[in-house]
Amino acid sequence: MRQRTLVGLAIVTAAGFALVGCSPAADTTTSAPEASSMAAEAATITLYTSEPQEKIDQIIAAFNEEQPNITVEVFRAGTGDLTARIEAERTGAEIQADILLAADSATFEQYKADELLLNYTPTDIESVNPDVIDSDGFYVGTRIIPTVIAYNTTAVDAPPTSWQDLTDSEYSGKITMPNPDVSGAAAYNAAVWYTDDALGESWLTDLAANTPVIAESNGPVAQAVAAGTQPIGVVVDYLVRDLRDAGSPIDLIYPSDGVPYVSQPVGIFANTDEAEASGLFVDFLISEAGQTIAVEQSYLPIRNDVGTPEGAPAMDDINIVTPDLDTIAQNKATAVALFSSLFG
Amino acid sequence: MTPVKPDGVTWLGLTLWLVVGAVVLVPLAAVVFLGLSDNHVQVLLDGGVLEAGRNSLVSAGVSAVLAVAVGTILAILLDHTDLPGRFVLRLFLLSPLLVPPFVGAIAWLGIFGPSSALNLAWASAFGGPLWNLYGGDGVIFLLTVHSYPIAYLIVGAALRRIPSDLEQAARIGGASTWRAMRDVTLPLLRPALLSAFTLTAVSNLADFGIPSIVGLPERFVTLSTLVYRYIQSGTVDKPLEVVGTIGILLLIIAIVALVINARLARRGNELDDAAAPRTPFALGQARWGVGITAWVLGLAVTLLPLLALASQSLLPAPGVPFTWENLTLSSIKRALTAPSTLIGAVNSVGLAVAAGLICTILGLAVATVATRTNARGNRALGALAMLPQAIPGLVIAVGWLILAPQIGLFNTRGLILCAYVMSFLALVVQAVDAPLRSTPTAFEEAARVSGASRLRSLFDISWRMSFPAAVTGGVLVMLTAVRELTISVLLLAPGNHTLGVSIFNLQQAGAYNAASALALVVTIVGLAGLGLLGRRSRG
């Protein structure tokens, strides 16, 4: 019954399009590249990513120096929009991307469980920080994106140096942080704090007492701290470095009591027609060359042989927290709900 | 109400049903099917859907009342009095249309954010902040600011059609200017006020940018921000189905609003067409007082955020003090030379013009058929065209994404165009609806008596009479489409951009000042275009 109605609607649609002339203005066929059986290099792959446009353009330009015959088409959007598009594509037909480079491992765990990802072991995986590698081989992290304490250097003389410090009443009304309801990384952080023995629910309660402004996502947090709207922020590190380099009065501190991070993983979709070319792109992202670009773009790398961004401490000097993913997954919904009730 | 043989009008109605069915009903149906495919009501109840629903109703309703009030005052002051400098003021007052709401919200936070210079200074002098923009009141304020231009254009178009002889009669009878306005003009405007209210209320229901930036920090959740919560945080299974359920809820609210609107609109007044051009009210002694007040308030609402944008455009990064040495053109240069900007400009202008043209013709046809023919189905057609206004862009985009592979439009500009037409058609339908409702059918009847067919009389009389209102609506569509973000961001093909997306991408890349610069340029170019348009239509 429902099926029949849909068919009827589809016919109406077709008729309608003929009438309005809503026909494709420019039909760029990117989604169905020719499957070449031989290892002929020419291929077109589609990448879905939340990486900023300029940064992903640089990466692809460098990749094309190594692989001039592989064309990488980029669809860039925020993580939430990417999720929505992928879900809609799954509902309508099938996922139209070859590669996903975005978000955190939780998103990839979900896709892995739904059997949407291709099992792939990149070349030179041995050089990569084992913490960011999926043990089942479906995805691998491409950057360490820690959440840190940012502060406005004009407005704050003695910045907090640990998460514990943030609960000091001295910072009441001065803090801003992203909304775990909206930002995947913020939801992850909430779960890390919630399951941390030294922090946990009591720390979240104390932090809420300082009435932080819950901004939509990391971008507005960094902007508010730089502008001095709220002089202290909980935010991902590279945004702060970028702003500092651009001249904003902002600096950052890696909290001494543990720095949670997301790893912007990359994975190949199982229904790709270009597994080989996609694999080459993943190889490049984690290669020495690819990670050198990451460091130039102010990200902490996933390898030890490319240094760290200018002005960032060495990886060994940062107290990185790598919690058990299952524990985080189990506690995330509770942590986000608690956060919402406390900061309401 | 006598049954008529199928004639031209019947065929026109059928054709319109096919077209509107294709661009509106089918994607809405896709969303509804999605929402009905499983029962997610409990998930939504746990997620606070009731509170979000209440917040949505309150913020959309109150902001629409305020927007219509402001829009009406402006329509009278700017179009029908001798207010000094009204032409320039009019352009300023239209500027919120061109500023993407998420950019406008950030600009306003610079002025009324909890730690803004203004609030800090106020707090040190009087012990508390002047006004904290965050929260429900801020959402209502910004929704009002971003929707009063629409109300103004719709009410203004209707006001232009009210003959001044009635007012003059009242004046001759001894009524004061304001008395004539209150007792004669405003009652005649009622259909337009209702149209403007429904349109702004329903579209504010779907707004995402403002409640997400200004509402969420104080936990003021609306249905449209709830949509994003389920999609972005990845805490529920099958997020699209949950989102579809919220879409259904919004549709129900919109349908209720439309039914109420239809009931109220039934008791309308009919007017002859304006015979003589209206003579402006002379403000007399109040001219300068009213003028100065209007200019100060108008500039405060429009120029402050534009200045905030301008000052950010001239600085390299947020927080850099505004001094001579720090001023730079680098942000503007970065915004204008980014490769995505040119692609975005070409796409946005092309799509906006196409959407504007299609919506003007389609909306005009739908509104005339819906108000000028008796068939019940045709009235439903008008209502159907309104429904997408209530649906957040993300949900509309999801509907089209699901359909895209079947209709072969995946990754094409055609897909975005269809989604634009779906979302913006209501702007024209509502703009045309008001003047048509207050025009008697006598003209059509006269044409019929003289031997014109039903279709011919509809085309020659109704259509021509409401064409100016349709053009107003079409311009609104273009202005809204040129900076559209949420639909385009999901439907773009890889490597493609629109202006809204280019601004958003700069923002996401941390290039806040370049994002401000691009938003400012889009606004200024748009206003210049409007200014030219206005001059030409006058000259």
Side-chain angles (χ1 to χ4, degrees):
Chain A
M1 168 71 182
R2 188 182 283 179
Q3 224 38 32
R4 186 176 297 169
T5 331
L6 255 185
V7 172
L9 289 175
I11 295 169
V12 172
T13 323
F17 283 118
L19 291 162
V20 219
C22 248
S23 51
D27 201 345
T28 45
T29 28
T30 52
S31 48
E34 296 300 316
S36 50
S37 51
M38 292 302 291
E41 290 290 314
T44 300
I45 52 178
T46 303
L47 166 70
Y48 282 11
T49 185
S50 60
E51 200 67 37
Q53 191 72 46
E54 288 179 3
K55 289 186 172 174
I56 196 65
D57 288 348
Q58 281 173 5
I59 294 168
I60 291 167
F63 171 68
N64 280 341
E65 278 173 22
E66 284 187 14
Q67 298 289 347
N69 295 325
I70 300 179
T71 309
V72 185
E73 306 265 3
V74 184
F75 175 75
R76 196 223 88 85
T79 308
D81 292 322
L82 286 176
T83 319
R85 175 145 168 158
I86 292 169
E87 284 293 322
E89 288 177 358
R90 279 174 74 186
T91 312
E94 57 170 10
I95 295 175
Q96 306 287 332
D98 299 297
I99 308 176
L100 176 65
L101 166 65
D104 53 17
S105 41
T107 312
F108 281 79
E109 284 295 323
Q110 184 66 49
Y111 290 152
K112 182 169 92 178
D114 292 349
E115 295 179 355
L116 296 176
L117 296 176
L118 189 73
N119 198 309
Y120 178 71
T121 309
T123 316
D124 203 18
I125 190 83
E126 305 77 31
S127 310
V128 171
N129 178 349
D131 290 340
V132 301
I133 304 172
D134 171 35
S135 50
D136 300 323
F138 287 96
Y139 61 89
V140 55
T142 61
R143 296 100 178 65
I144 304 282
I145 304 182
T147 291
V148 300
I149 298 173
Y151 63 97
N152 185 300
T153 49
T154 338
V156 179
D157 297 329
T161 58
S162 67
W163 299 124
Q164 285 294 359
D165 284 358
L166 281 184
T167 58
D168 195 316
S169 59
E170 180 190 348
Y171 304 118
S172 175
K174 294 185 173 170
I175 305 171
T176 174
M177 54 200 298
N179 188 345
D181 269 344
V182 177
S183 155
Y188 171 84
N189 292 339
V192 172
W193 291 322
Y194 177 66
T195 53
D196 186 314
D197 292 335
L199 300 171
E201 187 169 345
S202 70
W203 177 78
L204 282 170
T205 314
D206 293 344
L207 182 62
N210 266 347
T211 60
V213 170
I214 308 302
E216 186 208 354
S217 57
N218 279 289
V221 170
Q223 201 177 357
V225 174
T229 319
Q230 283 88 30
I232 293 171
V234 175
V235 63
V236 295
D237 67 341
Y238 70 91
L239 281 179
V240 182
R241 271 195 292 275
D242 283 350
L243 281 175
R244 187 182 62 190
D245 295 347
S248 288
I250 191 171
D251 212 338
L252 73 165
I253 279 169
Y254 289 90
S256 55
D257 43 357
V259 180
Y261 70 96
V262 292
S263 64
Q264 183 99 324
V266 63
I268 303 173
F269 284 113
N271 66 349
T272 177
D273 293 329
E274 295 289 357
E276 202 180 321
S278 302
L280 287 171
F281 187 74
V282 172
D283 291 352
F284 178 77
L285 283 176
I286 65 160
S287 70
E288 192 178 339
Q291 287 298 303
T292 306
I293 299 176
V295 169
E296 282 164 10
Q297 293 179 342
S298 159
Y299 293 117
L300 295 183
I302 49 150
R303 309 167 58 108
N304 278 325
D305 49 4
V306 289
T308 50
E310 217 180 306
M315 288 305 289
D316 291 340
D317 297 335
I318 304 173
N319 180 13
I320 286 279
V321 191
T322 309
D324 176 40
L325 274 185
D326 288 336
T327 317
I328 294 301
Q330 283 159 19
N331 286 288
K332 195 153 100 176
T334 323
V336 172
L338 174 70
F339 190 97
S340 296
S341 66
L342 284 177
F343 294 76
Chain B
M1 284 283 185
T2 47
V4 279
K5 273 190 306 183
D7 63 356
V9 173
T10 320
W11 292 117
L12 178 64
L14 268 177
T15 311
L16 289 175
W17 262 109
L18 282 179
V19 178
V20 176
V23 289
V24 177
L25 197 57
V26 175
L28 279 185
V31 170
V32 171
F33 280 132
L34 204 57
L36 291 180
S37 43
D38 210 339
N39 182 358
H40 296 283
V41 174
Q42 195 53 47
V43 175
L44 285 172
L45 286 176
D46 294 342
V49 73
L50 292 180
E51 193 197 340
R54 200 181 57 226
N55 287 345
S56 282
L57 282 179
V58 170
S59 60
V62 175
S63 62
V65 169
L66 293 174
V68 171
V70 174
T72 310
I73 294 172
L74 292 182
I76 293 170
L77 275 184
L78 295 179
D79 298 354
H80 299 282
T81 66
D82 51 355
L83 191 80
R86 53 194 179 277
F87 184 71
V88 177
L89 183 60
R90 184 166 182 267
L91 281 185
F92 272 115
L93 285 165
L94 285 176
S95 69
L97 264 186
L98 283 152
V99 182
F102 75 96
V103 175
I106 290 174
W108 277 102
L109 278 175
I111 302 163
F112 282 117
S115 317
S116 69
L118 178 64
N119 271 335
L120 288 182
W122 193 274
S124 66
F126 302 99
L130 175 62
W131 182 44
N132 179 357
L133 188 66
Y134 285 125
D137 47 353
V139 172
I140 290 172
F141 171 72
L142 283 184
L143 284 176
T144 307
V145 166
H146 281 270
S147 58
Y148 78 75
I150 293 182
Y152 159 63
L153 288 175
I154 289 183
V155 176
L159 191 58
R160 238 163 283 145
R161 296 195 55 266
I162 293 179
S164 45
D165 29 5
L166 288 176
E167 283 158 10
Q168 278 160 6
R171 296 295 309 280
I172 291 166
S176 69
T177 305
W178 300 115
R179 179 86 196 268
M181 191 78 82
R182 198 189 67 203
D183 291 352
V184 177
T185 316
L186 281 183
L188 291 174
L189 268 184
R190 220 172 63 126
L193 298 181
L194 262 179
S195 289
F197 172 79
T198 317
L199 184 67
T200 45
V202 171
S203 47
N204 286 350
L205 209 55
D207 192 87
F208 168 70
I210 289 169
S212 79
I213 294 174
V214 178
L216 287 184
E218 298 258 319
R219 317 305 287 179
F220 186 84
V221 178
T222 63
L223 288 174
S224 61
T225 54
L226 202 61
V227 163
Y228 274 72
R229 173 195 292 183
Y230 285 115
I231 292 230
Q232 304 222 332
S233 65
T235 44
V236 287
D237 283 342
K238 313 226 178 222
L240 284 195
E241 292 182 5
V242 179
V243 162
T245 313
I246 301 180
I248 295 176
L249 190 59
L250 284 164
L251 279 177
I252 294 173
I253 297 178
I255 291 171
V256 171
L258 289 176
V259 168
I260 296 174
N261 179 44
R263 294 252 149 140
L264 293 174
R266 213 168 283 164
R267 294 173 282 143
N269 297 295
E270 290 191 340
L271 283 175
D272 291 339
D273 202 17
R278 292 175 56 86
T279 42
F281 278 125
L283 290 171
Q285 287 182 327
R287 186 165 182 247
W288 287 103
V290 174
I292 288 168
T293 317
W295 269 93
V296 168
L297 289 178
L299 289 188
V301 167
T302 56
L303 204 57
L304 274 180
L306 288 183
L307 284 179
L309 280 184
S311 68
Q312 282 157 20
S313 308
L314 291 172
L315 290 173
V320 176
F322 196 79
T323 59
W324 268 115
E325 307 85 77
N326 289 338
L327 294 189
T328 166
L329 290 177
S330 66
S331 295
I332 298 177
K333 199 172 152 211
R334 178 169 180 189
L336 294 183
T337 55
S340 67
T341 304
L342 183 66
I343 306 177
V346 170
N347 278 333
S348 281
V349 171
L351 284 168
V353 169
L357 290 178
I358 294 175
C359 286
T360 305
I361 295 169
L362 190 59
L364 181 54
V366 166
T368 25
V369 167
T371 50
R372 283 326 212 203
T373 61
N374 283 323
R376 183 165 290 212
N378 289 342
R379 252 175 279 150
L381 187 65
L384 182 60
M386 279 295 295
L387 288 182
Q389 279 290 309
I391 308 290
L394 177 112
V395 183
I396 287 182
V398 162
W400 280 105
L401 268 180
I402 291 172
L403 296 171
Q406 276 92 341
I407 53 179
L409 283 180
F410 191 79
N411 275 349
T412 64
R413 287 187 206 91
L415 188 66
I416 303 181
L417 183 58
C418 290
Y420 279 6
V421 170
M422 172 183 179
S423 337
F424 304 139
L425 183 59
L427 292 173
V428 179
V429 173
Q430 283 308 86
V432 175
D433 180 80
L436 271 183
R437 261 185 216 292
S438 54
T439 313
T441 45
F443 294 105
E444 279 104 324
E445 282 151 17
R448 296 292 312 281
V449 169
S450 328
S453 69
R454 279 213 301 159
L455 183 63
R456 181 70 193 266
S457 74
L458 204 62
F459 193 82
D460 277 0
I461 309 291
S462 318
W463 192 311
R464 285 198 181 175
M465 252 178 348
S466 40
F467 193 71
V471 170
T472 304
V475 169
L476 262 179
V477 171
M478 285 187 208
L479 294 181
T480 319
V482 87
R483 50 132 181 98
E484 203 286 331
L485 171 66
T486 41
I487 292 176
S488 348
V489 83
L490 273 192
L491 297 186
L492 279 172
N496 229 325
H497 301 276
T498 61
L499 277 177
V501 172
S502 299
I503 297 173
F504 184 66
N505 280 349
L506 285 168
Q507 185 92 13
Q508 291 259 301
Y512 308 105
N513 297 65
S516 301
L518 188 51
L520 185 70
V521 170
V522 171
T523 311
I524 290 175
V525 171
L527 284 180
L530 263 186
L532 284 178
L533 212 72
R535 243 171 232 286
R536 185 158 305 166
S537 72
R538 260 145 217 258

